[in-house]
Amino acid sequence: MRAVTAAEMRELDRQAIEEYGIPGLVLMENAGRSVVQEALEMLGQARGRQVTVFIGKGNNGGDGLVAARHLHNLGAEVKVLSLAPLEEISGDAAVNLAIWQRMGQRVYYAGREEDLNAVRLFLVKTDLIIDAIYGTGFQGKVRESVSKIFDVINASGKPVLAVDIPSGLHADTGQVGGNCVQATRTVTFALPKLGLLVEPGAGLCGELKVADISIPAVLLDNEQLKRHLLDAAMVASWLPVRRSTDHKGDFGHVLVVAGAAGYSGAAVLCALAAARAGAGLVTLAVPASLQPVVSTMAPEIMTLALPQTDRQTISTEAWPVIKKMLERCQVLALGPGLTTHPETVDMVRELLPQIGVPVVLDADGLNALVGRTAIFRQLKAPLVITPHPGEMARLLGVAPAEVQEKRLALAEETAARWRLTLVLKGARTLVACPDGTLYINPTGNPGMASGGSGDVLTGVIAGLLAQGLTAGEAAAAGVYAHGLAGDLAAGEKGPQGMLAGDILHYLPRAWQVIKQAGLLAG
């Protein structure tokens, strides 16, 4: 499913109204009715229930007024509270205000600080709060009097249904403008807004529902809308079909260059994950003294001994061995457990510009390029990098907090500038491609915050690349399947104490779920 900025959504609305002739009032009516549908699910029934609708002066408030009308007609006791003076309500919202008033219904003004106690009283017996105050056009910070209303709503303990977006949330970034309504459920219209899909917005919107308000499908599936929320059917469409005549040579050969003394586990997890992703062959290249160890840890994986330093890390002398091996492989995974030994760092820096196959670079492979990011632009083949926020901060020379605050913008800008596919890990992992395509991943859970989880992801992406997926497809499919495997593991084991090996164990089941979704979608 595509995801949009506030400006892109406004353009879709404009095209629906001006080019297809769908009146704005029709779109507003459809939006309001979709709010009613969600409200009825939350209430069970309308008759005898009490609903408080908070509105602002814009179209979001108009959607709330439509919902108020229909809920009233269905037998609910509805109170409408406006945080804007009624004379400021204009356009299609004013039409619906007039309808509400002609029905003999009142709108209470609650935009002053002295109205707080009255608002608290309204909410005492309320069964559902509908938040239709600010829409996707909100920018900046909420004013203090409105912020206090938000506090009252959030402290009420009542379920909250947000209209299009929780008020106070920035639609493009998911950041909060000083204060924000905490929704139990959000019904957004036509397509999800970016701010609802990334943290902290994803956590503030509660359960997210996307409602059809009759915008023509041809507009919603416009190729110029390059941001996507990943789902299983999309991932399934990228996976290769396995025919009865296929053999291991048809699914690619991955070379994993990883490991050092004390870090053999990272190397093995990465190699096994590439195999679990479907690669036909996987060779794990490690410092020579580690080869006997990793051979016993992963019998399904071929191993290769590399020249090593006195600290049992990969030395610069390993380059000719790696180069020769790459003549037989389709993908290189580089980085897990390498360490930042100076000679190993030099090996990474010398190796990368000379590689002619797609590369997945992670962990110490990324650390080796801090201050040397110009190397990214020297690569001849597709590159996928998979930093967590701390690694991303080191690469960019900024504070980790800045990475978290500007995840979307930094991911897109960096992928374009460095001409690579960027996987920015974390809650709602982002996959940014150099052509501007962005994927947002909804799978995964806090139980995956465990050592080795990133090594598994690197292997999964490499295994998919080996099977012929593009860099963007492999990265997006990899993060989705990796997160889904983590969700399946957490569902059976619980998130506490989950290990990276659990993600590895549940990967085959994750692929089954994904392929089943593809069959249903087809």
Side-chain angles (χ1 to χ4, degrees), residues 149-351:
I149 295 290
F150 289 1
D151 287 337
V152 171
I153 292 172
N154 293 339
S156 69
K158 306 294 184 176
V160 178
L161 174 59
V163 176
D164 209 13
I165 192 167
S167 292
L169 190 67
H170 290 171
D172 293 351
T173 66
Q175 297 298 313
V176 173
N179 199 359
C180 183
V181 172
Q182 171 70 67
T184 309
R185 181 181 296 187
T186 297
V187 54
T188 197
F189 307 129
L191 290 171
K193 316 311 179 282
L194 287 174
L196 298 170
L197 304 178
V198 296
E199 296 295 348
L204 291 167
C205 74
E207 183 183 9
L208 180 63
K209 298 292 189 74
V210 181
D212 175 16
I213 59 170
S214 78
I215 291 178
V218 67
L219 294 179
L220 304 182
D221 199 29
N222 187 336
E223 292 294 330
Q224 293 182 356
L225 302 175
K226 291 191 171 185
R227 300 178 181 95
H228 305 262
L229 176 64
L230 284 168
D231 60 42
M234 180 185 296
V235 172
S237 72
W238 295 328
L239 299 180
V241 175
R242 295 200 167 219
R243 299 161 299 189
S244 59
T245 55
D246 287 334
H247 56 83
K248 62 188 177 184
D250 293 317
F251 300 107
H253 190 167
V254 176
L255 175 63
V256 178
V257 176
Y263 298 96
S264 56
V268 171
L269 283 169
C270 183
L272 285 172
R276 288 286 195 191
L281 294 167
V282 181
T283 296
L284 174 56
V286 295
S289 60
L290 269 64
Q291 186 187 25
V293 177
V294 299
S295 295
T296 60
M297 295 171 69
E300 301 90 346
I301 305 301
M302 296 179 288
T303 59
L304 176 66
L306 296 177
Q308 63 183 35
T309 67
D310 58 356
R311 294 295 183 90
Q312 295 177 283
T313 71
I314 299 172
S315 79
T316 51
E317 295 175 3
W319 160 232
V321 182
I322 296 170
K323 181 180 180 181
K324 185 173 181 60
M325 188 65 203
L326 283 173
E327 294 174 1
R328 299 160 48 193
C329 298
Q330 285 72 52
V331 178
L332 172 66
L334 176 65
L338 283 180
T339 79
T340 53
H341 186 285
E343 196 170 335
T344 308
V345 168
D346 287 343
M347 182 276 296
V348 171
R349 292 172 178 174
E350 292 175 14
L351 175 66

Side-chain angles (χ1 to χ4, degrees), residues 4 8-16 191 219-220 225:
V4 290
E8 287 170 337
M9 192 65 240
R10 283 194 297 273
E11 176 60 15
L12 292 174
D13 285 339
R14 184 200 66 77
Q15 290 176 317
L191 290 171
L219 294 179
L220 304 182
L225 302 175

Side-chain angles (χ1 to χ4, degrees), residues 281-487:
L281 294 167
V282 181
T283 296
L284 174 56
V286 295
S289 60
L290 269 64
Q291 186 187 25
V293 177
V294 299
S295 295
T296 60
M297 295 171 69
E300 301 90 346
I301 305 301
M302 296 179 288
T303 59
L304 176 66
L306 296 177
Q308 63 183 35
T309 67
D310 58 356
R311 294 295 183 90
Q312 295 177 283
T313 71
I314 299 172
S315 79
T316 51
E317 295 175 3
W319 160 232
V321 182
I322 296 170
K323 181 180 180 181
K324 185 173 181 60
M325 188 65 203
L326 283 173
E327 294 174 1
R328 299 160 48 193
C329 298
Q330 285 72 52
V331 178
L332 172 66
L334 176 65
L338 283 180
T339 79
T340 53
H341 186 285
E343 196 170 335
T344 308
V345 168
D346 287 343
M347 182 276 296
V348 171
R349 292 172 178 174
E350 292 175 14
L351 175 66
L352 282 172
Q354 303 180 61
I355 295 173
V357 301
V359 180
V360 186
L361 190 66
D362 185 31
D364 288 327
L366 292 172
N367 291 328
L369 298 187
V370 172
R372 298 289 189 92
T373 55
I375 290 175
F376 288 138
R377 296 172 63 89
Q378 298 173 19
L379 265 67
K380 305 170 185 175
L383 173 65
V384 179
I385 65 172
T386 61
H388 58 58
E391 291 164 340
M392 183 73 170
R394 288 194 289 275
L395 288 169
L396 294 176
V398 301
E402 183 176 345
V403 172
Q404 293 296 68
E405 290 169 8
K406 302 177 181 178
R407 282 174 63 85
L408 279 164
L410 285 177
E412 291 181 327
E413 292 167 5
T414 303
R417 185 169 72 254
W418 290 344
R419 296 189 298 219
L420 49 72
T421 299
L422 169 66
V423 177
L424 182 53
K425 295 184 289 196
R428 298 299 174 106
T429 291
L430 304 176
V431 178
C433 304
D435 68 352
T437 302
L438 178 80
Y439 299 100
I440 303 170
N441 182 45
T443 63
N445 62 84
M448 299 173 70
S450 177
S453 177
D455 304 318
V456 173
L457 176 60
T458 298
V460 171
I461 295 171
L464 292 169
L465 275 169
Q467 296 169 75
L469 277 70
T470 67
E473 292 168 350
V479 298
Y480 186 91
H482 178 262
L484 179 57
D487 290 341

